[in-house]
């Protein structure tokens, strides 16, 4: 994490949890904000969910962590779509896609990449045309 964040992080948006969140907490700037929108790394651990062990960094850095449940903002989806469309068009927002080329047999291994941190950005399985 340190090589990807040579300076400290002011805002961290997390939907992975687990080790990723723990590492990010060690890189927080003073007054940083952490937004939790999910924890995909923990969804299969229903009986033993692992929380952040580096949470004291929040105290030392005077940082805050808050959860955001996307459905709570459903009434603002049209506004968000319009704003993000504008940001995409003018280049202020970019989408990173991790594309795997394969067939339906490739699907299980591709899906598992989501749960073990083997992808960056949106994971896409591009199905090859079979004649």
């Amino acid at each position: 994490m340190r090589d990807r964040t040579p300076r400290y992080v002011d805002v961290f948006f997390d939907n992975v949890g687990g080790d990723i969140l723990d590492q990010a907490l060690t890189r927080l700037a003073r007054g940083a904000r952490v937004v939790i929108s999910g924890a995909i790394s923990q969804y299969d651990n229903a009986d033993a969910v692992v929380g952040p062990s580096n949470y004291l960094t929040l105290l030392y850095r005077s940082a805050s962590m808050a959860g955001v449940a996307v459905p709570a903002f459903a009434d603002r989806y049209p506004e968000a779509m319009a704003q993000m469309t504008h940001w995409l068009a003018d280049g202020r927002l970019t989408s990173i896609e991790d594309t795997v080329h394969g067939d339906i047999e490739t699907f299980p291994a591709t899906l598992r990449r989501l749960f073990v941190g083997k992808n960056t950005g949106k994971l896409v399985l591009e199905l090859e045309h079979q004649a």
Side-chain angles (χ1 to χ4, degrees):
M1 175 75 64
R2 189 174 300 257
D3 60 323
R4 293 182 185 249
T5 57
R7 290 188 267 179
Y8 288 100
V9 175
D10 294 309
V11 177
F12 183 72
F13 183 89
D14 181 52
N15 59 8
V16 177
D19 291 338
I20 301 296
L21 175 57
D22 249 355
Q23 289 178 39
L25 291 176
T26 69
R27 303 299 301 149
L28 296 181
R30 179 160 307 286
R33 293 163 293 167
V34 178
V35 180
I36 306 294
S37 73
I40 195 167
S41 71
Q42 300 302 303
Y43 294 161
D44 286 343
N45 296 340
D47 295 330
V49 172
V50 177
S53 62
N54 291 323
Y55 73 95
L56 286 177
T57 305
L58 296 166
L59 170 65
Y60 301 144
R61 301 281 190 202
S62 299
S64 61
M65 182 184 296
V68 175
V70 174
F73 299 93
D75 61 323
R76 297 187 67 188
Y77 287 179
E79 176 187 349
M81 290 298 292
Q83 185 64 64
M84 287 191 292
T85 299
H86 179 71
W87 288 339
L88 279 166
D90 71 13
R92 285 189 284 171
L93 180 64
T94 58
S95 177
I96 298 171
E97 291 186 2
D98 185 353
T99 303
V100 175
H101 301 276
D103 55 27
I104 198 68
E105 300 298 321
T106 313
F107 176 74
T110 303
L111 181 63
R112 278 193 296 275
R113 291 171 60 126
L114 286 174
F115 297 95
V116 296
K118 296 284 185 182
N119 70 295
T120 300
K122 180 181 9 177
L123 180 60
V124 176
L125 172 59
E126 186 174 306
L127 298 174
E128 296 173 351
H129 179 68
Q130 304 257 330

